[in-house]
Amino acid sequence: MHYQDTARQIITLIGGKNNILSLFHCITRLRFQLKDNDKADRAALEALEGVFGVNISGDQFQLIIGNDVDPLCNALLSQLPGIDSAFRPTQRRNPISVILEGLSNIFSPIIPAIAGAGILKGLLALMVAMKWVETSHQSYQILLAISDGVFYFLPFALAFSAAKKFGANPYVAVALTAVLFHPAIQTLFKAGGPVSFIGLPVPTVNYASTVIPVLLAVWLLGHVERIVDRFMPGPLKTMFVPLLCLLIVTPITLIAIGPVGIYAGNALSGGIIWMVENMGIVAGVVVGGTLSLIIITGMHYVIVPIMINNISTMGFDPIKFLFYIANLGQAGAAFGVFLRARDKKLKTLALSTSFSAAMGITEPAMYGVNIRYKRPFAAALIGGACGGAFAMTMGVKTYAFALSGLPGIPALVGPTFLWAVVSIAISFVCAAALTVILGFEESTQPVVAGVSPVPIGKSAEKLFAPVSGELKALNTLSDPVFADEIFGKGLAIYPTTGELRSPVNGKVESVFETHHALALQSDTGAELLIHIGIDTVKLGGKHFTSHIAAGQFVEVGDLLVTFDLAALKAENIDPSVILVVTNSECYGDISPVKETGDVASRDEFLTLTATAA
């Protein structure tokens, strides 16, 4: 790559110098802040030599570069005098982006509990429908409590998660929420007469399973807590900051925030129900056909609270099922690629990603296959529109919150179950058939260029686990760049410790300034990228300490980086340690010593086999 020439082309295609506000880079990506993202020519940028892809995250315009990111960034900055190159993860945040990211961070930690309970709820509904169990049986009642408990007391889980996002004390947030469920309050509400607090009327509403009131209350709590803490003397903070916060925020919640949140939630839910009931097939076509695009932008997080609220309060939701439709459309399109493709590697990739999409994990299929080859992605959207149209026409509903794939089928058990299954089949089959009919250009598959050959005389090399934890395949990661193996093959570990150690004997090629990522080259020529956590660049180095420098020689087991694992989890960040062999094309095979389970630091965990001469 000729860095200065490439830099000039990037500046032109990204909208010119006047469109660039700032630029910095992480271990693999150029991260721009642009005045207008729409001025950038994404297709032309993706076609540039050395650019593996384009991604937009919030307001940040990212070019995925790989090992050449540092010299290319320097070449860009040399042609952009006066451009801010400082790391500013909070610069120029769009309010909508902030809301979407906030909803994602709040709901992501609690969705596993909701999904697990939702599947049980669906199974119980199936058992009742098949008359395998009596609803009066004590065992059924206990199982019902297990499946329904998290939904009834959802405000508690939500308060704890929201407090971490809004900077409030999570335990004070739970205490605030507990007031809404206290027997004394419930007795007042159930008495039927007017309720007041110091002369102000308190509306009598039911807070069980609610979402919006708690989010608003905890948001206010975070602001009040910071104001009170600022003026409270140090020795009195522990007792009196929580006391004053509860005395200020709780009455406001009961009198105003809570009722407003209830009414807002009911209005949003009612609007969706009205759209489905009155626009049926149109709603199915529009939402079913565009939901994958909505998921890419992150806008679907706006819908999640509404869906959960509908299921919690009404026992069903009419929109959640369209997520199944969209996912099976992506699965069908990838399966169509498997049927049509001639290249064996592509067929294998398409089949595996089709299966994962059918299971509810669409990123590998969507980013790794369908979007890459363009026409399959269009086929997936059309398949979603067809399935959505049929589903809305037949009034299909979801009766529990679960993963939107085949494992979540029990959540569909109810009066519309049969039509739900037919709708899923329509989405999958239409997408697969259209992919086969429309075809695609296999030559568009990117090839990693500029990798160095593996030295002759080394038939195989073992890499050792850089950290202790649970093994994870790359395609299970939420970051499509790693999940789609754009930079090479490898493996991830969900860590149980905060010590990153060298997996090879070799040399430190580079250490990113925020210490969350580094590059190594082994003595035998393997080029490795190690990345701690997903999107940890936004932390600006917080929670990471580097113990090495570029150019340093290391041996297996040497300490490279320490990181605060608990703090990363508290920031709602996936702390997975990702190891990628960036010159994967030089090897005949890269395979894990074992596919799943736990691994200890310095255990053998990857085998690199050289290409036969």
Side-chain angles (χ1 to χ4, degrees), residues 327-341:
N327 289 356
L328 267 295
Q330 296 294 334
F335 188 73
V337 172
F338 162 74
L339 295 176
R340 176 83 185 232

Side-chain angles (χ1 to χ4, degrees), residues 333-354 364-365 367-370 372-373 376 435 439-446 489:
F335 188 73
V337 172
F338 162 74
L339 295 176
R340 176 83 185 232
R342 295 181 298 274
D343 181 78
K344 290 184 178 180
K345 289 184 178 180
L346 176 57
K347 289 178 79 73
T348 301
L349 175 65
L351 184 60
S352 64
T353 57
S354 173
Y367 290 103
V369 177
N370 298 339
R372 179 178 295 173
Y373 295 98
T435 299
F440 50 88
E441 295 293 332
E442 292 189 41
S443 61
T444 59
Q445 186 173 7
K489 299 180 182 297

Side-chain angles (χ1 to χ4, degrees), residues 126-330:
L126 177 62
M127 293 167 66
V128 171
M130 301 299 293
K131 299 183 178 179
W132 293 339
V133 65
E134 294 291 335
T135 56
S136 59
H137 198 280
Q138 292 180 347
S139 296
Y140 171 83
Q141 295 295 326
I142 292 174
L143 288 172
L144 179 64
I146 295 173
S147 69
D148 198 48
V150 68
F151 291 100
Y152 186 84
F153 292 105
L154 181 64
F156 288 94
L158 203 59
F160 193 89
S161 185
K164 291 185 175 182
K165 175 60 184 175
F166 296 138
N169 185 311
Y171 301 99
V172 176
V174 170
L176 166 64
T177 306
V179 175
L180 308 178
F181 291 85
H182 195 277
I185 297 294
Q186 295 301 311
T187 300
L188 286 175
F189 286 176
K190 292 177 182 178
V195 179
S196 65
F197 178 74
I198 58 173
L200 298 172
V202 177
T204 57
V205 295
N206 181 15
Y207 290 102
S209 308
T210 56
V211 171
I212 297 178
V214 172
L215 292 178
L216 295 175
V218 176
W219 173 81
L220 177 62
L221 175 65
H223 286 279
V224 172
E225 190 174 287
R226 284 188 286 275
I227 293 171
V228 174
D229 184 78
R230 191 180 307 150
F231 297 103
M232 185 65 62
L236 303 178
K237 288 181 184 290
T238 302
M239 293 181 293
F240 288 98
V241 170
L243 171 63
L244 291 176
C245 287
L246 287 172
L247 287 176
I248 294 169
V249 178
T250 305
I252 295 174
T253 299
L254 289 169
I255 293 168
I257 289 180
V260 168
I262 293 287
Y263 300 145
N266 290 341
L268 287 171
S269 300
I272 289 178
I273 299 296
W274 180 90
M275 180 182 71
V276 170
E277 289 179 348
N278 292 274
M279 300 180 64
I281 189 170
V282 175
V285 170
V286 173
V287 181
T290 61
L291 191 53
S292 291
L293 297 172
I294 294 172
I295 291 171
I296 290 173
T297 66
M299 285 292 292
H300 64 294
Y301 283 111
V302 175
I303 311 172
V304 170
I306 300 170
M307 295 187 300
I308 294 174
N309 186 69
N310 286 342
I311 292 171
S312 300
T313 56
M314 298 186 299
F316 67 87
D317 177 75
I319 293 295
K320 171 65 175 171
F321 179 69
L322 294 176
F323 282 76
Y324 288 76
I325 291 295
N327 289 356
L328 267 295
Q330 296 294 334

Side-chain angles (χ1 to χ4, degrees), residues 86-101:
F87 176 77
R88 302 183 188 276
T90 58
Q91 181 181 9
R92 191 175 164 264
R93 297 303 306 277
N94 184 298
I96 295 178
S97 298
V98 173
I99 292 172
L100 294 178
E101 182 180 325

